[in-house]
Amino acid sequence: MRPPPWRRLGLAAGVLALAGCAATVPVVVQPVICPVDAALVAGRCATPKAIPERASFGDVLTLYQQDRQALQNCAQRAETLARLIEACQATMVQYNQRLLEINRANTTKP
């Protein structure tokens, strides 16, 4: 035998009223993602070029210029990665601080 409709309606209203008394948990913000170009991470610094025997002075200068350019590119890539890591770490600190605030707010609720 099924309960009368007014009784089911009363039961549903009671459940909704009790649900309103439950503690609400705020939605946690999206996880932090630190996008870094994969090619930038995978790139390696070029090794110095070997000077062949009997190389002319012009050949040595050309190799020096190529090595110097490779060293500058490597330093620039390392500086870019360092800035990206610093920015990511700062974002993670902010994110973790927000999570701590949410946790504190949830633990102080009755």
Side-chain angles (χ1 to χ4, degrees), residues 54-64:
R54 299 180 192 248
S56 69
F57 183 69
D59 293 338
V60 171
L61 284 178
T62 300
L63 291 173
Y64 165 78

Side-chain angles (χ1 to χ4, degrees), residues 5 10 12 29 41 45-46 54 63 66 71 77 80-81 87 90 94 101:
V29 293
V41 174
C45 295
R54 299 180 192 248
L63 291 173
Q66 291 172 351
L71 182 61
R77 196 181 102 257
T80 300
L81 283 171
Q94 291 173 351
E101 291 170 7

Side-chain angles (χ1 to χ4, degrees), residues 23-26 97-110:
T24 58
V25 177
Q97 184 62 37
R98 179 69 181 126
L99 288 179
L100 287 172
E101 291 170 7
I102 290 171
N103 286 338
R104 276 191 216 111
N106 285 338
T107 57
T108 58
K109 287 186 178 182

Side-chain angles (χ1 to χ4, degrees), residues 20-68:
C21 296
T24 58
V25 177
V27 175
V28 178
V29 293
Q30 287 288 330
V32 174
I33 298 173
C34 297
V36 178
D37 183 20
L40 187 62
V41 174
R44 299 289 178 250
C45 295
T47 58
K49 302 219 184 320
I51 299 174
E53 285 194 37
R54 299 180 192 248
S56 69
F57 183 69
D59 293 338
V60 171
L61 284 178
T62 300
L63 291 173
Y64 165 78
Q65 290 171 340
Q66 291 172 351
D67 285 345
R68 181 76 180 155

